[in-house]
Amino acid sequence: MDREAPSPRADEGRGVGTSPSRPPGEGVAVALKVAVYTRISRDDEGDGLGVARQREDCERLADLRGWAVAKVYEDNDVSAYKRNVRRPQFELMLSDLADGLIDGVVAYDLDRLARQPKDLERLIDLFDERRRRVFATVTNDVNLGTADGRTMARVMVAFANKSSHDASRRIQRKHLELARQGKSSGGPAPYGWQSDGRTVDPVAAEHIRAAQKQLLAGVRIGTIRTDWQRRGLGHPREGTTRLPHHLVERMLTNPRLCGYRTYRGELLLDDDGRPVIGQWEPINTVEEWEAVCAVVTERKQKYPGRSLARKYLLSGIARCGLCHSKIRGQVNKPRTANSKGATFSYQCSVVNGGCGKVGRAGESVDEFVISLVLAEQRERAASTTVQGADEPWPNAPALADVEADIAALTQAAKAKEITVSTLLQLLPDLERRRDELKLERGRHSKTRQQSASLSVDTIEDFRILPIERQQALILHSLSAVLIHPAGRGARRFDPSLIEPVWH
């Protein structure tokens, strides 16, 4: 069991076999206090057995040397080779060693401590400061307190670093080969699939599709994230309860959803320029996935770095009938202590650049606008059904021609019919055109699917929707709502002073 390190002592620089200063007559020497450091790069089972075995061997070695184990520092499932990985317990051990809380270090092997030369040098610096600090490993005899020992340690870490680099290169090559074959690279199955990573989990897949429909209907990813976190969906990394925004966005736009294989976050293409198809069941069609990606891309382009959260239905939609500035919703202060509930109004504000002369009770305006929009959309739906307006994307032949041209050029270069230089001159324009057409196809799919999702029958159904979807329904029919002045004094709501501006 880990024991907390005792406080620093004045005799922290002594070596093995020396005795600390003690009161006269006391003949018992105080054992050196050492740290045991254990680490393993991967603990797939999560049971910590690897570091437990290291700990037992290190404690046995410390006992043979006559040292007392002050504390065990454990970094389980943590790499010492990756530069962007911080080892919390390693850093704490170095800090305690520098502060004199421990007199030395025992590790199973030198490569458990360091696989990057810079980490070893930090440790060597501490042993240079106090040469009598002790150091030992179970598998070899390296003494960081001597020049020969430090030289040997540097050589060993350099070879360990090269070994890690070679292994990393082989693993990357293996993952690329698996990716080109459409296979998974291992690891936990993504949300939406069962543990085998191939078979769709019907419950999780339905949650993904429902969230995508919400996204198409105007709901923010932040709102979906909050709902998922409340319901415990999306299984974030085990041991955490937080579901990051970027993770939810990734779950809803992952190319894997429509069967496409990625490598290092990028869509992987075969030799003919076509997406590599993975060996798993898809959740979306390509058309559905492209529509969702188009929504996310357009929002980022239109509102870079801005929050799309809204509290009131017509905020940013309603405009003043006098100065035409945008009107925001605001809470009304209760006039008396007995006033029932908080109300809100739409008010033209001087602070926001308006004239400040127009305001209206918000509930009545919302109710009137909602009834107008729902009636218009019912008429539109009936007209669309009669006319059969669900037409296919008209540029599908153009995209097929561009993809065929890319494939033909690639094959010609392979067959030595054209030079690589010629290929690289012709490909960029074709690839740019292909990407433009795919984005256009995604927008077309988005429009068709949005039309299907923008369907609400009653005001009650409308009210239970998230505010973003309510606004999307309004903006599907209206570009703005003009609120005209009503004059002074309390008056009944007059619909004629609310002017909808239809698309």
Side-chain angles (χ1 to χ4, degrees):
M1 178 178 294
D2 292 0
R3 298 186 293 277
E4 292 298 325
S7 59
R9 305 185 314 282
D11 59 338
E12 59 187 356
R14 71 183 186 283
V16 183
T18 62
S19 300
S21 59
R22 56 186 181 273
E26 186 175 330
V28 179
V30 178
L32 290 169
K33 300 189 302 296
V34 297
V36 166
Y37 180 78
T38 62
R39 182 191 67 81
I40 193 169
S41 297
R42 290 190 61 175
D43 183 11
D44 294 333
E45 289 76 22
D47 50 21
L49 294 179
V51 289
R53 289 189 293 269
Q54 292 180 28
R55 174 178 174 172
E56 291 175 3
D57 292 344
C58 290
E59 288 177 337
R60 188 179 300 112
L61 176 61
D63 186 57
L64 290 173
R65 299 286 181 95
W67 302 335
V69 176
K71 184 176 176 60
V72 176
Y73 300 81
E74 178 183 299
D75 282 320
N76 189 34
D77 201 20
V78 179
S79 170
Y81 170 70
K82 297 179 180 177
R83 294 178 179 272
N84 61 339
V85 173
R86 183 180 183 274
R87 292 182 283 161
Q89 290 295 299
F90 178 76
E91 298 296 333
L92 178 60
M93 183 188 69
L94 293 185
S95 175
D96 289 348
L97 191 62
D99 292 340
L101 300 179
I102 50 179
D103 303 314
V105 177
V106 178
Y108 184 79
D109 192 274
L110 188 61
D111 69 358
R112 298 301 90 197
L113 272 169
R115 276 183 176 260
Q116 288 291 347
K118 64 178 182 179
D119 289 337
L120 176 65
E121 293 302 326
R122 294 168 64 195
L123 193 59
I124 287 176
D125 287 343
L126 293 175
F127 277 82
D128 268 343
E129 290 175 2
R130 294 184 178 89
R131 296 297 181 90
R132 292 182 180 271
R133 282 176 173 151
V134 294
F135 179 84
T137 62
V138 174
T139 57
N140 48 59
D141 190 13
V142 176
N143 185 359
L144 295 182
T146 66
D148 289 344
R150 291 193 292 272
T151 300
M152 181 60 67
R154 289 182 174 112
V155 172
M156 293 170 66
V157 168
F159 274 97
N161 180 270
K162 182 181 185 303
S163 175
S164 293
H165 177 75
D166 292 342
S168 175
R169 187 176 65 249
R170 289 193 300 269
I171 291 171
Q172 290 178 18
R173 183 68 183 84
K174 176 184 175 182
H175 286 176
L176 177 57
E177 182 180 350
L178 291 173
R180 286 174 173 169
Q181 295 172 4
K183 297 179 180 179
S184 173
S185 298
Y191 186 67
W193 284 267
Q194 297 180 8
S195 57
D196 61 5
R198 294 187 176 191
T199 309
V200 168
D201 180 342
V203 176
E206 187 54 38
H207 291 317
I208 290 175
R209 294 190 190 101
Q212 289 175 328
K213 289 179 181 177
Q214 287 184 301
L215 199 62
L216 288 165
V219 179
R220 294 181 307 120
I221 290 178
T223 301
I224 296 170
R225 168 192 167 275
T226 301
D227 179 53
W228 274 24
Q229 189 159 288
R230 178 182 59 82
R231 296 161 61 192
L233 305 180
H235 61 65
R237 188 179 181 85
E238 190 171 346
T240 67
T241 57
R242 181 173 171 270
L243 190 61
H245 182 283
H246 69 84
L247 179 59
V248 178
E249 179 181 319
R250 177 66 177 169
M251 288 178 182
L252 301 181
T253 60
N254 193 343
R256 194 182 207 276
L257 293 166
C258 67
Y260 286 167
R261 185 63 166 89
T262 59
Y263 180 69
R264 293 190 171 185
E266 299 290 334
L267 191 64
L268 187 64
L269 304 179
D270 61 18
D271 293 338
D272 295 328
R274 292 187 294 265
V276 174
I277 305 300
Q279 297 181 6
W280 55 78
E281 297 177 1
I283 291 176
N284 291 143
T285 64
V286 173
E287 184 182 60
E288 291 169 342
W289 171 74
E290 287 183 340
V292 174
C293 292
V295 169
V296 174
T297 301
E298 286 182 354
R299 287 186 188 178
K300 288 181 177 180
Q301 291 175 346
K302 190 174 182 180
Y303 306 104
R306 284 177 50 190
S307 171
L308 302 180
R310 293 289 185 270
K311 187 174 181 180
Y312 303 103
L313 177 64
L314 300 180
S315 287
I317 300 175
R319 289 182 176 271
C320 174
L322 292 179
C323 66
H324 300 135
S325 296
K326 287 185 177 181
I327 292 180
R328 309 291 178 182
Q330 62 183 36
V331 176
N332 298 329
K333 295 181 179 179
R335 294 183 178 180
T336 65
N338 297 325
S339 298
K340 295 182 179 180
T343 61
F344 76 96
S345 62
Y346 292 109
Q347 182 68 46
C348 181
S349 173
V350 177
V351 175
N352 294 325
C355 63
K357 298 179 181 180
V358 174
R360 198 63 44 80
E363 292 87 349
S364 301
V365 176
D366 282 0
E367 200 81 14
F368 176 65
V369 171
I370 292 170
S371 61
L372 286 178
V373 167
L374 293 184
E376 188 271 341
Q377 290 182 2
R378 280 192 292 268
E379 292 179 7
R380 183 188 301 180
S383 173
T384 301
T385 302
V386 172
Q387 296 175 9
D390 189 16
E391 298 178 356
W393 180 51
N395 282 332
L399 177 58
D401 290 343
V402 171
E403 290 179 333
D405 290 344
I406 292 175
L409 281 173
T410 305
Q411 290 298 328
K414 284 183 178 180
K416 307 294 185 183
E417 296 173 1
I418 61 174
T419 64
V420 174
S421 176
T422 301
L423 175 68
L424 295 179
Q425 291 178 36
L426 297 175
L427 268 184
D429 288 340
L430 289 172
E431 290 175 336
R432 193 178 304 111
R433 177 59 177 159
R434 177 198 62 196
D435 294 341
E436 289 173 354
L437 287 169
K438 282 188 174 181
L439 181 58
E440 183 184 319
R441 182 176 65 183
R443 288 171 176 157
H444 180 267
S445 299
K446 177 203 70 172
T447 302
R448 292 173 58 187
Q449 294 180 47
Q450 279 181 332
S451 298
S453 63
L454 292 170
S455 177
V456 177
D457 295 327
T458 65
I459 291 181
E460 290 72 22
D461 292 338
F462 184 94
R463 290 289 189 189
I464 65 175
L465 298 174
I467 186 67
E468 301 94 349
R469 188 173 176 193
Q470 292 179 1
Q471 286 201 316
L473 283 162
I474 297 298
L475 291 171
H476 194 60
S477 297
L478 302 176
S479 57
V481 174
L482 291 177
I483 300 179
H484 297 285
R488 295 184 177 276
R491 299 193 178 191
R492 294 172 62 88
F493 177 73
D494 185 356
S496 66
L497 299 177
I498 309 300
E499 180 186 348
V501 181
W502 301 96
H503 280 308

